[in-house]
Amino acid sequence: MSIAIMRVLRAELGLGLTEAKAELRRVLAGEFSGTLPEMELLARSLRVAGVPAVSARP
């Protein structure tokens, strides 16, 4: 599942491999944040990739 998340992060955020690994740790720890519309867009892309994801307000 981590690989699928990294693929989505790289595609959606334009990150390099090293940056995507760092962001993956933040996503898995629940520390990745942004505006609700941004997080919903990312969650939708993750769901399309087969990763169960939801966006929520903190």
Side-chain angles (χ1 to χ4, degrees):
M1 179 169 20
S2 293
I3 293 172
I5 295 170
M6 285 180 53
R7 283 185 187 143
V8 170
L9 290 172
R10 292 185 75 192
E12 293 296 322
L13 304 176
L15 302 176
L17 185 58
T18 304
E19 296 164 317
K21 284 182 183 180
E23 294 305 317
L24 171 65
R25 287 190 281 279
R26 291 181 58 215
V27 168
L28 295 176
E31 299 171 352
F32 192 83
S33 64
T35 66
L36 190 57
E38 291 170 335
M39 294 300 97
E40 182 55 33
L41 181 62
L42 184 59
R44 287 180 186 181
S45 296
L46 287 166
R47 289 190 295 266
V48 167
V51 178
V54 296
S55 60
R57 294 182 189 263

